[in-house]
Amino acid sequence: FQRREYYVQREVLDEIRLDEVAEKETCSTEPSLTERVKESLRCSVPRVKQTVLNWVPVLGWLPHYSIRENAIGDLIAGCSVGIMHLPQGMAYALLASLRPVFGLYTSLYPVLVYFIFGTSRHISLGTFAVISIMIGSVTERLAPDSNFIVNGTNGTESVDIDERDARRVQIACTLTVLTGIFQFLLGVVRFGFVVTYLSEPLVRGYTTGSACHVSISQLKYVFGVKTARYAGPLSLIYTLVDICRLLPQTKVPELVVSLVAISVLIVVKEINDCYKQKLPLPIPIELIVIIGATIITHFCGLTSKYNIDVVGEIPSGLKAPRAPDVTLFSHVIGDAFAVAIVGYAINISLGKTFALKHGYKVDSNQELVALGLSNTIGGFFQCYSVTSSLSRSLIQESTGGKTQVAGVISSVIVLITVLKIGALFEDLPKAVLSTIVFVNLKGMYKQVLDVPMLWRTNKVDLLVWLVTFTSTILLNLDLGLAVSVAFSMLTFIFRTQLPRYSVLGHVPGTDLYLDTDSYKQIPGIKIFRSSATIYYTNAEMYLEALQEKSGIELGKLLTAKKKKDAKLKRQQEKEKKKAKKLEKGQGNGVALHGKETSTHHLSKGQVNWAYQQDTAMFDSDTECHNGIQNIYEDIEENEKACVSGTHSIILDMSTTSFVDTVAVKTLKNIFRDFGEIDMDIYLAGCQACVVEQLETADFFSKNIPKTRLFVTVHDAVLHILKQKGQSLPLVNRLTFNILID
């Protein structure tokens, strides 16, 4: 490194002089509200074209689609993702307490809608475990088995499966439509930033807790037992206890099928991970397991021999669109909002991850619109809520997918399955679908490794992760999300309410001012800084920290000053009264003296009234002096609370991004109260927006002129030292040392 120096020499600038030097324009260059409204209502062909392209992004990129560069990659990626859609769609439909065919519908229609309105090129929209379990908790709560009990011919009771499933489909579709409406409206009002309030630790803790719900809900298929359905807080615990209680009733054939399927899936997926650089395509083991299990079950007659629970009837063809039951909106409005936020959070996080990797932009508001339309339109075609899947998105990206044309190709594969070959999977054991769910949750369970990492890096984020995970486990998915968001917001509030306050010291030879732990303070000047914006939640603490860090106990000093002023006032009043009495007594003494000397000289001596007056006045002055001396002695102890020699305080406002009315009032009080004890207060480093807010709030006045506001701390220090006839151990010229490679 070669060391070089350069010098900057300028005058000390306060706010008024800065405006003059910078030639600040007094008139605003921003258009008025009326002009902005007129501009927004003005219509032109380029404006209409741009608006259409913003709302329908496919019109912008599809005409420029390069077949030579993208077609092969999109074709291979689309086929790979389409093959994954089949097993995952059927498996995740069970999580939503729906028949597997509705998972296939969900993998078809929303993907086509997103192709038109979405802005991400790599995410794979469709079924997702967390969203599916959230839908399932609603369908089971509003349509439990107990509502569909019918009496059999021999007096036994049974559940009307067809009627129950039809009602659950209606509930799921209604919830999906309302979810889509929420997402669409939030996108229209440009509310895409709402996801920023869901921090990454919160989302990862929530999805990990949701994975536990998913796993527990699938254990009944693995062990072949029938558990009671629970809802509300602690439902996960009750379900787990119920499964443990029913373990003696485990169906061994179904357990064997599950263990074999899990073993095969895990082994082949590990092979895919180890040799992903050498394999042109990942082995579609999920589809292979489904086909193999279906063939074995059908030709070996496992259903009739061992009573293995299978998928059952899968109708061929597509369903006609059907309007949702709007009377259910009031029952699912809270769940719909939760699904909307969680689905969008997962979608936009994946979308931005791939966009950053491949160098393009994802519009967060348009993603809300696209996801909302996908859910709303899909809900009319008997689909349930969708979001992007990490596993499918990784496959789509790693196999060469470049655009959402890959999504269209995957939809074609799903469509062929629904129309022609869906019925061939009627003998597929549900236990196999459960094992697919289990294995695909591996990535979510790996998020538990966040705990040691967060312990080393950020304890607050660790607390958010743990609270989110625990509340999701204990309070169910909807309440767990609400508690998690509330707790996350509280941590933000506490961070702003408990900032770090510091007194700054000067770095010799520079214009830098850093914490006084390593650098010396300038005698007579205290430089105070807060690490957070000053506003109504921490304004009072700011004042308290200012007194503590500067060593100035403002309350005691003000009280002492008031006592001193009161004693001085009383002393002055006493002196006035004594003076009046003295004048009155002097007049009476002169008259009496004249009378005594003129009448037979009854008195043997004369009284020297001049001497008497002088003595009285001397006694009075002595008493007054002693009274004032006592006053200063009374406040001597209080003055020790003030750091010796401090005459000026500089408030470094460089970290403040805005001020509210409470902050303005607090700053005014600081100027007033410290001014009463003869201390000068200065502001330094205010951003332009803060200065404008202070001007709007009438902060500056005759008592607080703009000359108390300086561009930097160093300007304020030089100004104070010049007033006091002092100087720093460096010239006013600022010197910067730079290391240049």
Side-chain angles (χ1 to χ4, degrees):
F1 290 99
Q2 180 183 359
R3 177 170 177 166
R4 296 185 180 181
E5 298 181 354
Y6 74 89
Y7 303 95
V8 175
Q9 185 172 0
R10 62 170 175 82
E11 62 179 300
V12 174
L13 296 176
D14 58 23
E15 188 65 25
I16 295 177
R17 183 57 183 151
L18 176 65
D19 293 345
E20 297 173 356
V21 172
E23 300 180 353
K24 181 179 178 181
E25 297 181 3
T26 56
C27 59
S28 175
T29 58
E30 295 183 359
S32 63
L33 178 61
T34 304
E35 293 174 344
R36 291 200 299 267
V37 172
K38 289 181 179 179
E39 180 64 25
S40 64
L41 296 177
R42 187 174 290 115
C43 184
S44 63
V45 174
R47 189 185 185 94
V48 171
K49 180 181 179 181
Q50 186 60 42
T51 301
V52 172
L53 292 178
N54 288 338
W55 284 91
V56 190
V58 69
L59 298 179
W61 61 266
L62 189 59
H64 306 288
Y65 183 80
S66 174
I67 297 178
R68 178 184 300 176
E69 295 180 1
N70 302 329
I72 300 298
D74 286 341
L75 178 62
I76 296 174
C79 293
S80 303
V81 173
I83 291 172
M84 289 187 68
H85 266 302
L86 300 180
Q88 289 189 2
M90 291 190 288
Y92 292 157
L94 295 181
L95 296 177
S97 297
L98 304 175
R99 291 184 176 179
V101 68
F102 295 101
L104 297 178
Y105 296 155
T106 305
S107 302
L108 173 60
Y109 295 105
V111 178
L112 296 176
V113 176
Y114 186 83
F115 164 76
I116 298 173
F117 298 100
T119 59
S120 175
R121 304 173 189 172
H122 293 90
I123 63 174
S124 174
L125 209 68
T127 56
F128 187 65
V130 174
I131 300 298
S132 299
I133 196 67
M134 294 179 75
I135 299 293
S137 65
V138 179
T139 57
E140 291 184 3
R141 185 185 77 234
L142 298 181
D145 290 345
S146 57
N147 290 357
F148 303 95
I149 300 295
V150 295
N151 294 324
T153 55
N154 55 357
T156 60
E157 294 182 346
S158 61
V159 178
D160 189 341
I161 301 296
D162 293 336
E163 185 178 353
R164 181 201 67 184
D165 289 350
R167 181 59 175 169
R168 288 181 175 177
V169 170
Q170 189 178 40
I171 294 170
C173 294
T174 301
L175 174 61
T176 300
V177 170
L178 187 56
T179 298
I181 292 173
F182 277 140
Q183 291 171 332
F184 179 79
L185 293 178
L186 290 175
V188 168
V189 299
R190 322 304 289 173
F191 213 66
F193 68 88
V194 69
V195 75
T196 58
Y197 290 97
L198 301 178
S199 63
E200 184 178 358
L202 187 148
V203 173
R204 293 175 71 86
Y206 184 78
T207 52
T208 306
S210 301
C212 295
H213 279 274
V214 172
S215 300
I216 298 301
S217 69
Q218 295 304 291
L219 286 177
K220 59 184 178 181
Y221 297 113
V222 173
F223 293 103
V225 296
K226 295 185 180 297
T227 62
R229 299 183 184 274
Y230 301 96
L234 300 179
S235 60
L236 181 69
I237 307 300
Y238 295 144
T239 303
L240 184 60
V241 170
D242 203 16
I243 290 174
C244 293
R245 182 178 58 83
L246 295 173
L247 283 180
Q249 304 176 18
T250 299
K251 292 182 179 179
V252 177
E254 292 201 13
L255 180 60
V256 171
V257 170
S258 301
L259 294 176
V260 172
I262 287 178
S263 301
V264 173
L265 287 169
I266 291 176
V267 170
V268 178
K269 280 183 173 290
E270 289 298 322
I271 293 174
N272 282 337
D273 290 339
C274 292
Y275 298 97
K276 59 184 177 182
Q277 302 296 336
K278 299 180 180 180
L279 294 173
L281 292 174
I283 302 172
I285 186 57
E286 294 170 330
L287 184 62
I288 293 173
V289 167
I290 283 180
I291 295 174
T294 304
I295 293 174
I296 293 173
T297 304
H298 177 75
F299 288 102
C300 295
L302 300 182
T303 305
S304 57
K305 289 182 181 180
Y306 302 106
N307 197 24
I308 290 180
D309 194 10
V310 296
V311 168
E313 181 184 0
I314 298 180
S316 299
L318 302 175
K319 299 284 186 178
R322 182 179 177 183
D325 185 0
V326 295
T327 60
L328 291 173
F329 279 178
S330 59
H331 298 284
V332 300
I333 185 170
D335 302 285
F337 190 77
V339 172
I341 296 300
V342 173
Y344 173 63
I346 296 170
N347 193 76
I348 194 64
S349 61
L350 278 178
K352 288 189 173 181
T353 299
F354 288 112
L356 182 64
K357 181 177 180 180
H358 293 276
Y360 62 93
K361 187 176 183 299
V362 170
D363 187 339
S364 58
N365 292 304
Q366 182 60 28
E367 284 296 295
L368 262 177
V369 172
L371 198 59
L373 290 174
S374 298
N375 281 322
T376 303
I377 296 174
F380 282 93
F381 288 92
Q382 301 190 10
C383 304
Y384 64 88
S385 294
V386 295
T387 189
S388 54
S389 165
L390 176 60
S391 59
R392 293 196 305 268
S393 299
L394 287 174
I395 293 298
Q396 180 167 322
E397 188 248 358
S398 62
T399 53
K402 300 293 181 60
T403 67
Q404 278 299 330
V405 171
V408 176
I409 295 172
S410 68
S411 297
V412 171
I413 293 177
V414 175
L415 178 63
I416 294 173
T417 303
V418 171
L419 293 178
K420 297 296 181 182
I421 62 177
L424 299 178
F425 294 105
E426 292 181 356
D427 288 330
L428 173 64
K430 289 183 178 179
V432 173
L433 293 178
S434 298
T435 60
I436 293 174
V437 173
F438 273 118
V439 175
N440 284 329
L441 292 176
K442 182 183 71 171
M444 291 188 187
Y445 282 123
K446 280 186 175 180
Q447 293 175 159
V448 176
L449 299 177
D450 291 350
V451 173
M453 183 271 293
L454 293 175
W455 173 262
R456 294 190 302 269
T457 57
N458 194 308
K459 301 294 192 300
V460 176
D461 284 344
L462 172 63
L463 197 58
V464 171
W465 196 100
L466 292 176
V467 169
T468 302
F469 177 79
T470 305
S471 60
T472 304
I473 292 291
L474 299 180
L475 301 178
N476 219 338
L477 298 173
D478 46 1
L479 287 177
L481 179 63
V483 170
S484 304
V485 172
F487 182 79
S488 181
M489 295 298 293
L490 283 177
T491 61
F492 169 76
I493 293 172
F494 285 139
R495 285 178 177 181
T496 57
Q497 278 192 315
L498 301 173
R500 178 179 178 180
Y501 299 105
S502 55
V503 174
L504 306 183
H506 179 241
V507 182
T510 71
D511 66 334
L512 302 178
Y513 294 84
L514 305 176
D515 286 358
T516 54
D517 295 339
S518 305
Y519 304 98
K520 294 182 179 180
Q521 299 182 42
I522 301 174
I525 302 176
K526 296 292 182 183
I527 306 169
F528 181 72
R529 181 171 65 190
S530 168
S531 63
T533 293
I534 311 167
Y535 67 115
Y536 71 96
T537 63
N538 60 14
E540 184 176 350
M541 286 182 288
Y542 182 84
L543 178 57
E544 294 174 356
L546 172 60
Q547 297 178 67
E548 179 184 352
K549 291 289 185 179
S550 63
I552 301 172
E553 298 185 21
L554 186 59
K556 289 185 178 181
L557 293 176
L558 288 175
T559 302
K561 186 176 184 301
K562 289 179 181 178
K563 287 182 179 180
K564 181 186 73 172
D565 292 342
K567 286 186 178 182
L568 286 174
K569 187 176 181 181
R570 288 196 300 268
Q571 193 68 31
Q572 291 172 357
E573 290 177 354
K574 286 181 181 180
E575 291 305 313
K576 287 181 181 179
K577 290 180 181 179
K578 287 184 179 181
K580 288 181 180 179
K581 288 181 180 180
L582 185 60
E583 290 175 0
K584 186 177 179 181
Q586 183 179 2
N588 292 338
V590 172
L592 179 60
H593 175 68
K595 182 179 179 181
E596 289 177 345
T597 55
S598 61
T599 56
H600 309 291
H601 301 281
L602 295 176
S603 177
K604 292 183 178 181
Q606 293 183 342
V607 178
N608 189 338
W609 287 106
Y611 173 80
Q612 289 285 69
Q613 184 179 4
D614 291 342
T615 304
M617 292 178 67
F618 175 77
D619 293 340
S620 175
D621 291 341
T622 302
E623 185 178 350
C624 179
H625 174 76
N626 291 336
I628 296 174
Q629 184 67 29
N630 291 335
I631 292 172
Y632 283 103
E633 289 176 356
D634 290 339
I635 67 171
E636 190 178 35
E637 293 297 324
N638 291 329
E639 286 182 333
K640 291 180 180 178
C642 178
V643 174
S644 176
T646 299
H647 52 73
S648 302
I649 296 177
I650 301 173
L651 304 180
D652 184 358
M653 306 286 288
S654 58
T655 59
T656 299
S657 58
F658 70 93
V659 288
D660 57 7
T661 54
V662 177
V664 172
K665 185 177 180 180
T666 300
L667 292 175
K668 284 184 177 180
N669 292 340
I670 290 173
F671 273 85
R672 181 197 64 200
D673 294 340
F674 281 87
E676 289 185 7
I677 59 174
D678 300 325
M679 284 195 183
D680 296 326
I681 304 295
Y682 299 88
L683 301 180
C686 290
Q687 302 179 40
C689 60
V690 175
V691 177
E692 292 176 1
Q693 292 166 4
L694 291 175
E695 290 174 338
T696 305
D698 295 328
F699 175 76
F700 299 106
S701 62
K702 182 179 180 181
N703 296 326
I704 311 177
K706 261 194 173 183
T707 53
R708 292 292 185 95
L709 175 57
F710 287 87
V711 179
T712 66
V713 171
H714 193 64
D715 287 285
V717 170
L718 295 178
H719 171 78
I720 295 170
L721 294 178
K722 182 179 180 181
Q723 282 190 328
K724 301 297 180 182
Q726 303 173 6
S727 62
L728 285 174
L730 76 163
V731 295
N732 289 355
R733 180 176 61 187
L734 307 183
T735 304
F736 302 90
N737 298 326
I738 302 178
L739 295 178
I740 302 177
D741 189 0

